[in-house]
Amino acid sequence: MNILVCIKQVPDSNKVEVDPVTGVLKRNGVESKMNPYDLYALETALRIREKTGGSITAITMGPGQATGIIREAFAMGVDNGVLISDRKFGGADVLATSYTLSQGIKQSGEFDLILCGKQTTDGDTAQVGPEVAEWLGIPSLSNVSRIVEQKESSLVVEMDMTHDIEVAEIQYPCLLAVDKDIFIPRLPSYVKKQETKDREIKVITLADLEDKEEKNYGLNGSPTQVQRIFPPQVNNHREVWNGEGKELAEQLFHKLNELKFA
């Protein structure tokens, strides 16, 4: 079985600056890590491969530094890595991102199963996975919390739908967006890290894609535009009161009234 895992590099801090002109995050020079939900997708791929055999490819979209998370995926046991990188892809919303990923996937081979994390910790939309499946014309399921059964031509999975657990069978080729705790992700192996430190990572640019029309990518290909984005203000104001319980309760009541919470 050929498995593809979509991974993403996200900021390793909540202290991220925003470009006042484009309204997107300034990622250059910011400490980054692999999106935590993607670790669950990688572990799912590794567990499936242990039963079925085959190969696993990790694909990511981003600047050159994003190769760091592909190297991390190699150290976990992934076989191949693909980086989709071009300045013309910058500033993409979920639609343009999913389209770019789908174009990159088409250039990377044929896959029976595509896995991704349910969402990312920076965008948090949970839309990219299903949209990639739509662009590729394959079925998809989200919020996958358990692999019930692996069959020759399909998977039976459970989906955590908040109030219900749904069970569905999906035919290959397909895409699954997995939830956290589907499996406990393994730690990267130092031995594998050393063995794969020189492993080639395929780089795909706009010139390599089937659709080379610039207007379909990045900010130009994004139908949604950010009107305003700003980091939350930190409020360190506090008051300390001393006194008996009845006195403090009355003081608290008046304070809540003053703040219009009561």
Side-chain angles (χ1 to χ4, degrees):
M1 177 181 289
N2 288 328
I3 305 172
L4 179 80
V5 186
C6 299
I7 59 178
K8 184 181 181 183
Q9 191 176 54
V10 297
D12 194 19
S13 169
N14 59 1
K15 296 178 181 178
V16 181
E17 294 184 7
V18 177
D19 188 313
V21 178
T22 62
V24 299
L25 299 180
K26 292 182 179 179
R27 299 180 185 272
N28 292 336
V30 177
E31 289 293 325
S32 300
K33 64 179 180 181
M34 188 185 303
N35 176 49
Y37 281 93
D38 297 342
L39 292 170
Y40 301 111
L42 284 169
E43 182 62 32
T44 302
L46 293 165
R47 297 289 184 101
I48 292 174
R49 188 186 63 183
E50 287 170 1
K51 292 186 177 181
T52 64
S55 66
I56 302 173
T57 298
I59 190 169
T60 190
M61 171 182 161
Q65 67 185 44
T67 54
I69 60 170
I70 296 180
R71 295 289 174 196
E72 184 179 346
F74 285 164
M76 292 176 67
V78 167
D79 303 293
N80 309 298
V82 178
L83 171 64
I84 306 172
S85 185
D86 197 303
R87 287 188 178 276
K88 297 179 179 66
F89 300 151
D93 69 355
V94 291
L95 188 67
T97 296
S98 63
Y99 183 68
T100 308
L101 282 170
S102 70
Q103 287 287 302
I105 290 169
K106 288 178 180 179
Q107 295 300 313
S108 302
E110 298 288 333
F111 299 97
D112 304 294
L113 176 63
I114 300 175
L115 295 166
C116 59
K118 182 180 75 170
Q119 62 197 70
T120 60
T121 55
D122 55 356
D124 215 27
T125 64
Q127 295 176 13
V128 171
E131 288 183 8
V132 167
E134 286 296 309
W135 288 118
L136 294 174
I138 61 175
S140 69
L141 294 173
S142 296
N143 301 325
V144 175
S145 57
R146 188 165 81 91
I147 305 293
V148 178
E149 185 180 0
Q150 294 176 223
K151 297 183 179 181
E152 186 175 344
S153 60
S154 64
L155 283 171
V156 180
V157 302
E158 283 187 0
M159 296 174 289
D160 187 349
M161 308 303 288
T162 305
H163 300 295
D164 301 286
I165 299 294
E166 294 186 13
V167 179
E169 183 171 353
I170 188 168
Q171 301 288 320
Y172 304 128
C174 61
L175 181 146
L176 301 181
V178 303
D179 207 343
K180 62 184 180 68
D181 301 331
I182 183 170
F183 292 111
I184 298 175
R186 66 194 66 188
L187 294 173
S189 162
Y190 178 76
V191 173
K192 284 189 175 68
K193 180 180 178 180
Q194 294 300 110
E195 290 175 348
T196 60
K197 64 181 181 180
D198 297 321
R199 181 177 293 175
E200 181 183 0
I201 296 174
K202 181 180 179 181
V203 179
I204 294 176
T205 66
L206 179 61
D208 302 310
L209 301 181
E210 181 181 336
D211 179 7
K212 297 177 174 58
E213 182 55 65
E214 292 184 22
K215 68 179 182 180
N216 295 328
Y217 302 95
L219 282 173
N220 293 329
S222 301
T224 57
Q225 298 292 326
V226 177
Q227 293 294 321
R228 180 170 178 256
I229 187 170
F230 56 91
Q233 294 183 349
V234 178
N235 186 353
N236 294 321
H237 174 72
R238 64 178 181 174
E239 295 181 26
V240 179
W241 299 335
N242 296 307
E244 298 294 327
K246 184 177 180 180
E247 178 186 352
L248 290 173
E250 185 175 354
Q251 194 169 357
L252 178 59
F253 174 76
H254 289 304
K255 187 64 178 180
L256 291 173
N257 269 326
E258 178 187 331
L259 297 173
K260 298 184 179 179
F261 287 129

